[in-house]
Amino acid sequence: MNRFRNMMRSIFAKLVFAFMIVLIPLYALSLNMNDSASRSVKDQITASLYSRVQFHMDSLETDFDRIIRLEQEFVNDADLTKLSNSAAIMEDFDKTIVINRLRSRLGLLKTSNPYILSVGISIASIDRTLSTDNIIDPIDPGAFRELSQPTNRYVSPFLTYSDRLFISVPYPEIGRREDQQFVIAVEIDKAEIRRVLSRLSDNAEGGVVLFDSRLRWQVSDRTQGEGDIDAAELARGLGLLAVSEREASGGSGYRTVTVDGTPYIVAFEQSSSLDATLLTYLPEKVVLGSLRKYRDGYWLLSIVSAIVVVLFSYLIYRLIHRPLRTMVVAFRKVEHGNLDAPIVSRNRDEFSYLYSQYNSMIGRLKVLIHEVIEHQYRVRISELKQLQLQINPHFLYNSFFIIYRMAKVHETENVMRFAKYLGRYYQYITHNSQQEVPLTEELEFARTYVEIQKYRYAGHVEIDFPDPPPWVGRIPVPRLILQPLLENCYEHGLTDPEKDGIIAVSFQVSEHGGVLTIGVEDNGDSLEDAELPRLRQALDAELEPPESTGLFNVHRRLRIKFGNESGVRLERSQLGGLKAEVVLPLSSKPQDEKDRVEEE
C-alpha cells in the first residue's frame, strides 16, 4: 500500500495524470460525436427503410384493391349468371359459346394484374371449374368448400388452400353453402410477390416478409431455409400478431429487436384493408458496420494513445527523475555526514550544471566544516586554559597570613610543612602544559589542599578521604576537578564556627564499569531547600552563579571534554549539607585489574 501511494505521488504518476486531463475531454468529445453520428445514420437508414416499406405497402394495397374490384364486377357478368342459372336448359352449343366467352374474360382478368397467377370459376350447376389454364375440370369439393367461405374482402380478403393464396368471391355470399351457385377464385402469385419484395431488400443479410396478422400465410423474399432468422420471431417481438380477427389492428413504425442475441433494425407497415403486415429487417451491424469500424478504430487509437502517453511520461520521468534521484541520494549522503560523494555526469544538460554546483557546494562545505572544527578546537583549548586559571585569590592571601602567624610564634616546623604543601599546590595549578593527569595525581593534589585547610581550620573539620580502586587511579582526568568541590565545602558548607565540620569523599564505579562517580559532601546547615533546585537549574542552563564559581568551572570543563553525559550533579547529602558528584565516563578497564577485582 505504501509503495502504491509513493508511486502515485511520483513525477511519473503526475505526468500521466496531466496528459490524461488533457486527452480525456478530447476523447470524450470524439466519442460523443461518434455516438451522435451513429444515431443519426441509424435514424436516417431506418427512416429510409420505413419509407420504402410504406411505398411498397401502398402499392400492394392498390394492386390488390383493383383485383378485388375486378373480381367483384365479374360476379355480375351476364354469361356467368346465365350459365349458373340456366345451364340445365341450354343447348350444348350455347354452353360452349358461353364457356369460351367466360374463359376469355378470365384471361383478361389474369393479365390485368401481375400478382394474379390464375383465375378460376367453379360453377355448381355444371359441376365444372373454368380456369385460365385452358383446363375445364370437375369441381374439387375440398377447394370449393374452402374457397367458398365468406370473407370481408375489404378487411381480410385472403384465403389459403394447399399452401396457395387466394382471393375468392362466392355467390351468393349469404345463405347456406350448398346453395352457392359459383365461386370466383383468384390465385395470388407468391413468386411475383417474392420478386417485388426482393427489390425492397437490397442486402444479403436482411430480409422482407409479408404476412397476415395471425400468420396463416407469409411470403418472404428468401426461399425456405435460406434465411438465418424467422420473421415470425420479429413479428412476435413487435407485437404484430393477433389471436383473432378482432384483435388485428393497423400499425406502423420502426424499432430495434434482438433475436438470439443479435439486434435487428425492423421497419414495418400494417394494412387494415389487407389484414397483412409488410416487414423488413436488417442487422444493426450492417447499418452501423462502417461506424462500428470507425469506433473500433477510435478505441484502438485511444489504447495506442494511452500507451504512447504512458511511454512518453515514462521517458520524461527517466529524463527528469533519474537525475533528481541521483541528487537526492547525494544529498542524503551529505545529510549523514558523507562529504566525499561527488556526482559524476557525462551529459551536458541543465542537470550537469546542478551537479557541478553540488560538487562545488560540498567542496566548500568541507572547507567550512574543517575551519569550524579547527576554530572550535582552539576555542575549547583556550577556554580550558582560562577556566584552569580561575583560582580564588583569597586562598593565596589567607595562606600568607597563616604563614605570618606561625612564623610570629616561632612554629618553624609547621611553617616548613605548610610552605611545602603550599609550594606543591601552586606548582600543580600553574602547570599548564598538561591538560589531563592520572586520577592519582589529581587525588594527591586534592589531599594537599586538604592539608593546607587543616592549618586554617585548626582541627575543627574532620576529613574522610579514602583511596579509590587501584585500577581507577590510572585513568586520565582533567586537572583541578576535585579541589573546587572541596573548596566549595569549606567556603559555603562549613560556615558555622561552633559546629565541627565533616567532609566525606567517596568513589563509585557503575555496574558495567562505564562511569566513575566521585562524591564530595559535607554536614553544613547553610543549604536551604529552595537553593538546591536553583543551583541545579543554573548548572543545566550553564549559568554561572557567583557564589559557586568552582562548581560551575568543573561542570563546564567536563561538558566540554566528555559531552553532556558527564559533569557535576548536586544532591542533598545524608550528612545534612550539599553533595556534589563528579561524573566521569570510563574507557576500558585494564584486564588484569578486572580479573583481580572479580577474584576479590
Side-chain angles (χ1 to χ4, degrees), residues 86-156:
S86 306
I89 61 174
M90 291 177 63
E91 296 292 335
D92 291 338
F93 179 74
D94 294 334
K95 286 183 182 180
T96 301
I97 293 174
V98 172
I99 289 172
N100 288 335
R101 286 202 298 263
L102 286 174
R103 291 176 63 189
S104 176
R105 293 190 185 95
L106 290 177
L108 292 174
L109 178 60
K110 174 185 177 183
T111 58
S112 66
N113 197 293
Y115 292 112
I116 298 177
L117 179 62
S118 64
V119 182
I121 302 175
S122 299
I123 305 172
S125 60
I126 62 175
D127 192 24
R128 290 293 183 270
T129 299
L130 309 179
S131 69
T132 56
D133 295 333
N134 295 322
I135 298 176
I136 302 175
D137 292 329
I139 294 176
D140 183 356
F144 188 83
R145 182 173 59 253
E146 292 295 331
L147 298 178
S148 63
Q149 296 180 12
T151 60
N152 187 347
R153 286 180 294 280
Y154 298 102
V155 176
S156 180

Side-chain angles (χ1 to χ4, degrees), residues 18-48:
F19 280 117
M20 289 302 178
I21 288 240
V22 175
L23 292 179
I24 286 177
L26 297 178
Y27 278 103
L29 180 61
S30 300
L31 182 62
N32 183 55
M33 293 174 62
N34 182 60
D35 291 338
S36 178
S38 299
R39 289 192 297 269
S40 177
V41 170
K42 179 181 176 181
D43 292 341
Q44 291 179 6
I45 293 177
T46 305
S48 175

Side-chain angles (χ1 to χ4, degrees), residues 55-221:
F55 174 77
H56 281 80
M57 179 56 83
D58 291 342
S59 299
L60 289 174
E61 285 182 344
T62 301
D63 289 334
F64 286 116
D65 182 68
R66 185 180 299 114
I67 292 173
I68 292 171
R69 293 184 183 280
L70 291 175
E71 193 176 19
Q72 186 68 38
E73 291 176 1
F74 206 90
V75 172
N76 299 321
D77 186 81
D79 289 334
L80 179 57
T81 302
K82 183 179 179 179
L83 187 60
S84 61
N85 292 325
S86 306
I89 61 174
M90 291 177 63
E91 296 292 335
D92 291 338
F93 179 74
D94 294 334
K95 286 183 182 180
T96 301
I97 293 174
V98 172
I99 289 172
N100 288 335
R101 286 202 298 263
L102 286 174
R103 291 176 63 189
S104 176
R105 293 190 185 95
L106 290 177
L108 292 174
L109 178 60
K110 174 185 177 183
T111 58
S112 66
N113 197 293
Y115 292 112
I116 298 177
L117 179 62
S118 64
V119 182
I121 302 175
S122 299
I123 305 172
S125 60
I126 62 175
D127 192 24
R128 290 293 183 270
T129 299
L130 309 179
S131 69
T132 56
D133 295 333
N134 295 322
I135 298 176
I136 302 175
D137 292 329
I139 294 176
D140 183 356
F144 188 83
R145 182 173 59 253
E146 292 295 331
L147 298 178
S148 63
Q149 296 180 12
T151 60
N152 187 347
R153 286 180 294 280
Y154 298 102
V155 176
S156 180
F158 296 105
L159 292 173
T160 57
Y161 176 72
S162 298
D163 199 27
R164 297 157 65 190
L165 190 62
F166 293 90
I167 298 177
S168 65
V169 177
Y171 182 82
E173 294 186 48
I174 302 174
R176 295 182 303 171
R177 190 171 297 179
E178 56 268 17
D179 294 335
Q180 291 177 344
Q181 297 177 6
F182 59 84
V183 175
I184 304 173
V186 176
E187 183 177 359
I188 304 302
D189 191 354
K190 289 185 176 182
E192 180 64 22
I193 296 176
R194 184 174 291 111
R195 282 193 296 271
V196 174
L197 296 182
S198 64
R199 290 197 295 270
L200 177 59
S201 175
D202 55 1
N203 191 283
E205 297 188 40
V208 184
V209 62
L210 179 69
F211 56 91
D212 72 330
S213 61
R214 285 179 287 174
L215 211 63
R216 293 167 298 184
W217 59 270
Q218 63 176 333
V219 181
S220 175
D221 66 325

